[in-house]
Amino acid sequence: MPRPFVFFLLVPFCGAVFGQAIEPGEWEFNTVTSSPLFPKGQSSVFRRCITREDAESPERWMARQNETGACKLTPVERSADAMKWSVACPKTNMRGTGVARRIAPGRIESEIALASEFQGYRIEMNTRASGRRLGPCKS
């Protein structure tokens, strides 16, 4: 799976995951994706400004992504420091689940498990991400 697609999936999960548990500001995320499709794990680092609006309403943010994105994100369960969701990507025939947890002030971890079938073979992909708040947004 191309890196831009993985990046698209991680932005909502790591960015606007759960209400008041995540602080608005500039965040840095480190991700590792493993799959039989890759000879070794694919790593990436990216930054994102989490606005107050995104932090306060991840469901609204997910709804906006569903309008324009290749995948449909559906919240499943939400608590004060975690959120679970399901993912369905019709164009790539991928489905899965994700969970993000606040592990400390200014730190979150997430995990996404996706699966698909291609020519009779089951393909699985797992992505783990850790995020840390760097400070206020730069822009």
Side-chain angles (χ1 to χ4, degrees):
M1 178 173 294
R3 276 188 159 173
F5 185 72
V6 173
F7 176 78
F8 163 78
L9 289 173
L10 291 172
V11 170
F13 305 143
C14 298
V17 289
F18 39 88
Q20 297 300 324
I22 189 168
E23 300 171 62
E26 185 81 18
W27 283 75
E28 180 179 81
F29 299 98
N30 292 287
T31 67
V32 177
T33 300
S34 59
S35 171
L37 298 173
F38 309 131
K40 58 182 182 174
Q42 299 286 310
S43 300
S44 64
V45 177
F46 62 94
R47 290 185 180 188
R48 177 158 186 251
C49 175
I50 306 296
T51 66
R52 182 169 306 283
E53 293 80 16
D54 284 348
E56 290 174 354
S57 183
E59 289 87 356
R60 184 182 71 201
W61 192 89
M62 285 182 172
R64 284 195 321 258
Q65 293 305 307
N66 287 342
E67 292 173 5
T68 60
C71 299
K72 180 176 173 146
L73 313 174
T74 305
V76 173
E77 185 180 332
R78 182 175 170 183
S79 67
D81 61 356
M83 184 170 194
K84 295 180 183 179
W85 60 89
S86 66
V87 182
C89 308
K91 289 182 181 178
T92 58
N93 195 31
M94 297 202 81
R95 296 189 175 283
T97 59
V99 62
R101 295 175 199 84
R102 179 178 180 244
I103 57 170
R107 294 194 45 142
I108 62 172
E109 290 182 348
S110 69
E111 188 172 339
I112 303 162
L114 296 170
S116 182
E117 285 197 23
F118 180 72
Q119 297 181 349
Y121 293 98
R122 182 170 174 85
I123 299 169
E124 296 180 352
M125 180 171 58
N126 294 297
T127 301
R128 291 181 168 267
S130 61
R132 65 184 178 107
R133 186 176 185 274
L134 301 175
C137 290
K138 294 190 179 2
S139 54

